[in-house]
Amino acid sequence: MDPLVLGLLVALVTVAVLFSGVSVATGLLIVSAGFLIIFDGMRSLELLPEIFFGKLNNFALLSIPMFIIMGAAISSTRAGADLYEALERWLTRVPGGLVISNLGACAVFSALSGSSPATCAAIGKMGIPEMRKRGYPDGVAAGSIAAGGTLGILIPPSVTMIVYGIATETSIGRLFLAGVMPGLLLVSLFMAWSLFYTWRYGSADVLAVRHYTWKQRLEILPRVLPFLVIIVGVLYAMYGGVATPSETAAVGALLCVLLAVILYRMWSPKSLWVVLRDSTRESVMIMFIIGAAGVFAYMMSSLQITQSIAGWIGTLDVNRWVLMGIINVFLLIAGFFLPPVAVILMTAPILLPIITTAGFDPYWFAVILTINMEIGLISPPVGLNLYVINGIAPDIPLTTILKGSLPFVGCMVVAIILLCIFPEIATWLPDYLMGEAR
Amino acid sequence: MAQPLSIRVAQHGGNSVLKFIGWLSALSGIVAAFLIVLAVAITCQMIFVRFVLNDSTIWQTEMVVYLMIAATMLGLPYVQLLRGHVNVELLPMMLPMGLRKVLAVVTLSVAIAVIGAMLFYGYSMWHEAWSRGWRSDTVWGVKLWLPYLAIPVGFGLYLLQLIADLAALLFGYEKPFQLDEGGN
């Protein structure tokens, strides 16, 4: 069979298998084993455990559970609420400042925790009722938190970026840096929209300015600063060349757990176990997908599919921006159904040669891909964040949450367009700090 | 990325065999969690040796990687028990209960067959490394059957949990895909 036709068949079967409700990792193993048996015979399965083992035999992967532990430790404390309060107390002079503090808290907390749903829950639990109480429209209150939560997969340290780095063999440090300015751009766009909408449709209370004394402002800082110091320290250690991402993440994980124990008195074995259990669950789930995606990639290349697709795209006479547009639509659709990690592991190894041949920067592409995944997090049918918000604010109808989130999807699309026009938004910082990529 | 969402757990309907398999998966998960803790501790020790004592490290990097692989493999049944392996329930949600059950039985059976094959060939890989005394080509030169052992053990325990899930489904202890009639 022609490898291209076979590739199409693999794509269709993969979609069918994944939609059948089987877990993503097991689904990838099923598709890989099925096609290998049909086209290469039963004996071709002999190599699969070795390929699976080989894919996991990578020191860089250690950073995944470590950053997850870091996030889980922070998420299990009151740090989210403290962060929210701190920003609230410091940003009260801006009319409509509450939504700004919420988005700021989301940006910082999502970077700390690396988890979209955890951010929505931590900030939203306090932020949404407070915003509604003060007259902010329900849509803005819910939408801003849902969208703010998605920032965690873009702003460093991000597990999604690590997974992209591993899948495409690109520098994780450089990827982290590439996410910084687009992350700030997104936060600014989110804030601009929220303020515009609030000023237009919010009640008079919204514009009222609250006053906090300097004592109130300063007393909250000791509870928030230590976590920020750890994150800055971890990033400094990475870029200062002190240690690898995995090593710094391990130290970061240890320090965050210690801080949670000391600062938030989280010393009961039960609460520590919850952190460990959640981290294990999340890490194992991701690592299993990584191993299975390795087997999937082996099947694709062993049946000559990957090579044929890359060759075929090379012969196509299409404008590279049309190509990028098609890739974006494809990623967007994939992101509607699948978690970011799965999309990246399945598509990045195939897409990377295509986009580099078309002259795009792989680090810039990582940012574009990640923003596409962020859109998936607040869009139906899966849209995890929408359901988390629905869980913490059950009296806001899901349709209001959805309508409130839509403009933020618009902001993300604007960000993608801006990044296409000015790719330097993603590439300038890594180029400036680490020199141009080879 | 720990998710603050409610955790679903596999149902055993009081059946002692299914209960035992669930207990085994949970134990396996606890071991996996502690292997991750051990990996953190060894990595911190490695950084201390390298940057504070200015000494070279020999076994740590390799050991940490093998611990992570073992943690992943031993974590598989536990994550299955907690229904933590991410999936897309789009098609099951659209199907009526009867067809949904058929789909669940089919997907679980195919998963069992493929994981069974991974166990079989994983065992062969381990056995070959063990009988031929293979060692890793590093300074540490660890006997490879040790890290390879995680593959058959992990897939074996995962297979057991999948079989238990299939049994729970067939006995009616658990709803297909743990979805209610309305798909929630």
mmCIF file of all heavy atoms in Angstrom, chain B residues 40-64:
data_model
loop_
_atom_site.group_PDB
_atom_site.id
_atom_site.type_symbol
_atom_site.label_atom_id
_atom_site.label_comp_id
_atom_site.label_asym_id
_atom_site.label_seq_id
_atom_site.Cartn_x
_atom_site.Cartn_y
_atom_site.Cartn_z
ATOM 1 N N VAL B 40 13.792 12.020 43.649
ATOM 2 C CA VAL B 40 14.032 13.421 44.046
ATOM 3 C C VAL B 40 15.232 13.481 44.982
ATOM 4 O O VAL B 40 16.149 14.295 44.806
ATOM 5 C CB VAL B 40 12.799 14.025 44.761
ATOM 6 C CG1 VAL B 40 13.090 15.438 45.245
ATOM 7 C CG2 VAL B 40 11.584 14.031 43.849
ATOM 8 N N ALA B 41 15.249 12.573 45.966
ATOM 9 C CA ALA B 41 16.317 12.580 46.963
ATOM 10 C C ALA B 41 17.674 12.332 46.298
ATOM 11 O O ALA B 41 18.653 13.044 46.584
ATOM 12 C CB ALA B 41 16.040 11.517 48.024
ATOM 13 N N ILE B 42 17.739 11.352 45.398
ATOM 14 C CA ILE B 42 19.021 11.036 44.750
ATOM 15 C C ILE B 42 19.471 12.203 43.860
ATOM 16 O O ILE B 42 20.656 12.537 43.820
ATOM 17 C CB ILE B 42 18.909 9.719 43.934
ATOM 18 C CG1 ILE B 42 18.726 8.552 44.899
ATOM 19 C CG2 ILE B 42 20.162 9.504 43.080
ATOM 20 C CD1 ILE B 42 18.515 7.213 44.217
ATOM 21 N N THR B 43 18.519 12.841 43.179
ATOM 22 C CA THR B 43 18.895 13.981 42.332
ATOM 23 C C THR B 43 19.474 15.104 43.195
ATOM 24 O O THR B 43 20.481 15.725 42.832
ATOM 25 C CB THR B 43 17.672 14.503 41.544
ATOM 26 O OG1 THR B 43 17.042 13.395 40.924
ATOM 27 C CG2 THR B 43 18.071 15.497 40.497
ATOM 28 N N CYS B 44 18.848 15.364 44.352
ATOM 29 C CA CYS B 44 19.362 16.405 45.238
ATOM 30 C C CYS B 44 20.757 16.027 45.752
ATOM 31 O O CYS B 44 21.655 16.866 45.826
ATOM 32 C CB CYS B 44 18.399 16.649 46.406
ATOM 33 S SG CYS B 44 16.844 17.374 45.871
ATOM 34 N N GLN B 45 20.928 14.737 46.078
ATOM 35 C CA GLN B 45 22.239 14.262 46.549
ATOM 36 C C GLN B 45 23.281 14.462 45.452
ATOM 37 O O GLN B 45 24.414 14.894 45.702
ATOM 38 C CB GLN B 45 22.119 12.779 46.940
ATOM 39 C CG GLN B 45 23.360 12.193 47.589
ATOM 40 C CD GLN B 45 24.226 11.415 46.591
ATOM 41 O OE1 GLN B 45 23.917 11.311 45.422
ATOM 42 N NE2 GLN B 45 25.346 10.884 47.087
ATOM 43 N N MET B 46 22.867 14.185 44.206
ATOM 44 C CA MET B 46 23.772 14.309 43.060
ATOM 45 C C MET B 46 24.228 15.761 42.889
ATOM 46 O O MET B 46 25.407 16.025 42.664
ATOM 47 C CB MET B 46 23.029 13.835 41.810
ATOM 48 C CG MET B 46 23.763 14.025 40.525
ATOM 49 S SD MET B 46 22.954 13.098 39.221
ATOM 50 C CE MET B 46 21.519 14.080 38.907
ATOM 51 N N ILE B 47 23.266 16.680 43.048
ATOM 52 C CA ILE B 47 23.606 18.100 42.899
ATOM 53 C C ILE B 47 24.566 18.507 44.022
ATOM 54 O O ILE B 47 25.533 19.223 43.796
ATOM 55 C CB ILE B 47 22.320 18.963 42.929
ATOM 56 C CG1 ILE B 47 21.469 18.629 41.698
ATOM 57 C CG2 ILE B 47 22.641 20.441 42.954
ATOM 58 C CD1 ILE B 47 20.073 19.191 41.745
ATOM 59 N N PHE B 48 24.313 18.000 45.224
ATOM 60 C CA PHE B 48 25.170 18.311 46.375
ATOM 61 C C PHE B 48 26.598 17.822 46.104
ATOM 62 O O PHE B 48 27.569 18.550 46.290
ATOM 63 C CB PHE B 48 24.586 17.637 47.627
ATOM 64 C CG PHE B 48 25.332 17.973 48.878
ATOM 65 C CD1 PHE B 48 25.123 19.190 49.520
ATOM 66 C CD2 PHE B 48 26.253 17.077 49.414
ATOM 67 C CE1 PHE B 48 25.814 19.500 50.669
ATOM 68 C CE2 PHE B 48 26.960 17.389 50.569
ATOM 69 C CZ PHE B 48 26.738 18.603 51.199
ATOM 70 N N VAL B 49 26.710 16.558 45.640
ATOM 71 C CA VAL B 49 28.036 15.974 45.373
ATOM 72 C C VAL B 49 28.752 16.778 44.292
ATOM 73 O O VAL B 49 29.926 17.109 44.416
ATOM 74 C CB VAL B 49 27.896 14.489 44.939
ATOM 75 C CG1 VAL B 49 29.232 13.950 44.428
ATOM 76 C CG2 VAL B 49 27.381 13.647 46.093
ATOM 77 N N ARG B 50 28.024 17.127 43.265
ATOM 78 C CA ARG B 50 28.663 17.775 42.113
ATOM 79 C C ARG B 50 29.010 19.239 42.373
ATOM 80 O O ARG B 50 30.091 19.693 42.053
ATOM 81 C CB ARG B 50 27.745 17.661 40.899
ATOM 82 C CG ARG B 50 28.518 17.787 39.604
ATOM 83 C CD ARG B 50 27.619 17.667 38.414
ATOM 84 N NE ARG B 50 27.064 16.319 38.262
ATOM 85 C CZ ARG B 50 26.009 16.053 37.495
ATOM 86 N NH1 ARG B 50 25.393 17.017 36.866
ATOM 87 N NH2 ARG B 50 25.576 14.817 37.376
ATOM 88 N N PHE B 51 28.073 19.979 42.979
ATOM 89 C CA PHE B 51 28.288 21.423 43.087
ATOM 90 C C PHE B 51 28.837 21.867 44.444
ATOM 91 O O PHE B 51 29.456 22.910 44.526
ATOM 92 C CB PHE B 51 26.997 22.170 42.765
ATOM 93 C CG PHE B 51 26.551 21.936 41.360
ATOM 94 C CD1 PHE B 51 25.477 21.106 41.087
ATOM 95 C CD2 PHE B 51 27.241 22.507 40.293
ATOM 96 C CE1 PHE B 51 25.083 20.860 39.788
ATOM 97 C CE2 PHE B 51 26.854 22.265 38.987
ATOM 98 C CZ PHE B 51 25.775 21.442 38.728
ATOM 99 N N VAL B 52 28.586 21.087 45.465
ATOM 100 C CA VAL B 52 29.094 21.495 46.781
ATOM 101 C C VAL B 52 30.410 20.784 47.074
ATOM 102 O O VAL B 52 31.410 21.396 47.433
ATOM 103 C CB VAL B 52 28.057 21.230 47.904
ATOM 104 C CG1 VAL B 52 28.602 21.674 49.252
ATOM 105 C CG2 VAL B 52 26.752 21.960 47.594
ATOM 106 N N LEU B 53 30.430 19.458 46.904
ATOM 107 C CA LEU B 53 31.654 18.705 47.178
ATOM 108 C C LEU B 53 32.616 18.726 45.983
ATOM 109 O O LEU B 53 33.738 18.247 46.089
ATOM 110 C CB LEU B 53 31.320 17.256 47.541
ATOM 111 C CG LEU B 53 30.359 17.034 48.719
ATOM 112 C CD1 LEU B 53 30.161 15.545 48.967
ATOM 113 C CD2 LEU B 53 30.869 17.697 49.994
ATOM 114 N N ASN B 54 32.137 19.263 44.864
ATOM 115 C CA ASN B 54 32.956 19.328 43.642
ATOM 116 C C ASN B 54 33.488 17.979 43.198
ATOM 117 O O ASN B 54 34.595 17.858 42.697
ATOM 118 C CB ASN B 54 34.125 20.291 43.854
ATOM 119 C CG ASN B 54 33.915 21.547 43.049
ATOM 120 O OD1 ASN B 54 33.247 21.502 42.008
ATOM 121 N ND2 ASN B 54 34.464 22.653 43.521
ATOM 122 N N ASP B 55 32.710 16.956 43.418
ATOM 123 C CA ASP B 55 33.105 15.585 43.096
ATOM 124 C C ASP B 55 32.342 15.127 41.853
ATOM 125 O O ASP B 55 31.365 15.761 41.456
ATOM 126 C CB ASP B 55 32.735 14.687 44.288
ATOM 127 C CG ASP B 55 33.820 13.665 44.553
ATOM 128 O OD1 ASP B 55 34.610 13.415 43.626
ATOM 129 O OD2 ASP B 55 33.851 13.121 45.679
ATOM 130 N N SER B 56 32.777 14.029 41.257
ATOM 131 C CA SER B 56 32.015 13.535 40.101
ATOM 132 C C SER B 56 31.007 12.475 40.555
ATOM 133 O O SER B 56 31.202 11.821 41.577
ATOM 134 C CB SER B 56 32.952 12.945 39.057
ATOM 135 O OG SER B 56 33.701 11.921 39.649
ATOM 136 N N THR B 57 29.940 12.346 39.797
ATOM 137 C CA THR B 57 28.918 11.358 40.156
ATOM 138 C C THR B 57 28.959 10.221 39.134
ATOM 139 O O THR B 57 29.209 10.446 37.959
ATOM 140 C CB THR B 57 27.514 11.999 40.150
ATOM 141 O OG1 THR B 57 27.345 12.690 38.919
ATOM 142 C CG2 THR B 57 27.335 12.956 41.294
ATOM 143 N N ILE B 58 28.718 8.991 39.607
ATOM 144 C CA ILE B 58 28.865 7.830 38.720
ATOM 145 C C ILE B 58 27.514 7.183 38.420
ATOM 146 O O ILE B 58 27.124 7.024 37.278
ATOM 147 C CB ILE B 58 29.806 6.790 39.363
ATOM 148 C CG1 ILE B 58 31.205 7.395 39.520
ATOM 149 C CG2 ILE B 58 29.885 5.513 38.515
ATOM 150 C CD1 ILE B 58 32.098 6.658 40.460
ATOM 151 N N TRP B 59 26.793 6.873 39.461
ATOM 152 C CA TRP B 59 25.599 6.047 39.277
ATOM 153 C C TRP B 59 24.292 6.814 39.322
ATOM 154 O O TRP B 59 23.267 6.318 38.868
ATOM 155 C CB TRP B 59 25.575 4.961 40.365
ATOM 156 C CG TRP B 59 25.694 5.527 41.764
ATOM 157 C CD1 TRP B 59 26.843 5.796 42.429
ATOM 158 C CD2 TRP B 59 24.628 5.945 42.620
ATOM 159 N NE1 TRP B 59 26.567 6.368 43.651
ATOM 160 C CE2 TRP B 59 25.219 6.451 43.798
ATOM 161 C CE3 TRP B 59 23.233 5.944 42.508
ATOM 162 C CZ2 TRP B 59 24.464 6.952 44.861
ATOM 163 C CZ3 TRP B 59 22.482 6.446 43.577
ATOM 164 C CH2 TRP B 59 23.103 6.939 44.727
ATOM 165 N N GLN B 60 24.327 8.032 39.826
ATOM 166 C CA GLN B 60 23.082 8.728 40.149
ATOM 167 C C GLN B 60 22.157 8.968 38.954
ATOM 168 O O GLN B 60 20.966 8.652 39.014
ATOM 169 C CB GLN B 60 23.373 10.067 40.857
ATOM 170 C CG GLN B 60 23.833 9.911 42.295
ATOM 171 C CD GLN B 60 25.341 9.756 42.417
ATOM 172 O OE1 GLN B 60 26.013 9.337 41.480
ATOM 173 N NE2 GLN B 60 25.869 10.079 43.571
ATOM 174 N N THR B 61 22.700 9.529 37.869
ATOM 175 C CA THR B 61 21.831 9.879 36.728
ATOM 176 C C THR B 61 21.097 8.646 36.216
ATOM 177 O O THR B 61 19.879 8.657 36.020
ATOM 178 C CB THR B 61 22.678 10.490 35.589
ATOM 179 O OG1 THR B 61 23.483 11.514 36.140
ATOM 180 C CG2 THR B 61 21.811 11.046 34.485
ATOM 181 N N GLU B 62 21.857 7.560 36.027
ATOM 182 C CA GLU B 62 21.272 6.337 35.489
ATOM 183 C C GLU B 62 20.231 5.767 36.462
ATOM 184 O O GLU B 62 19.138 5.365 36.056
ATOM 185 C CB GLU B 62 22.404 5.330 35.278
ATOM 186 C CG GLU B 62 22.138 4.342 34.171
ATOM 187 C CD GLU B 62 23.326 3.418 33.957
ATOM 188 O OE1 GLU B 62 24.443 3.744 34.426
ATOM 189 O OE2 GLU B 62 23.129 2.363 33.345
ATOM 190 N N MET B 63 20.609 5.792 37.736
ATOM 191 C CA MET B 63 19.715 5.252 38.772
ATOM 192 C C MET B 63 18.377 6.003 38.783
ATOM 193 O O MET B 63 17.303 5.392 38.849
ATOM 194 C CB MET B 63 20.408 5.405 40.142
ATOM 195 C CG MET B 63 19.587 4.942 41.301
ATOM 196 S SD MET B 63 19.551 3.149 41.334
ATOM 197 C CE MET B 63 18.830 2.860 42.926
ATOM 198 N N VAL B 64 18.467 7.333 38.706
ATOM 199 C CA VAL B 64 17.256 8.155 38.754
ATOM 200 C C VAL B 64 16.343 7.836 37.561
ATOM 201 O O VAL B 64 15.127 7.703 37.716
ATOM 202 C CB VAL B 64 17.642 9.663 38.777
ATOM 203 C CG1 VAL B 64 16.460 10.528 38.422
ATOM 204 C CG2 VAL B 64 18.185 10.042 40.134
#
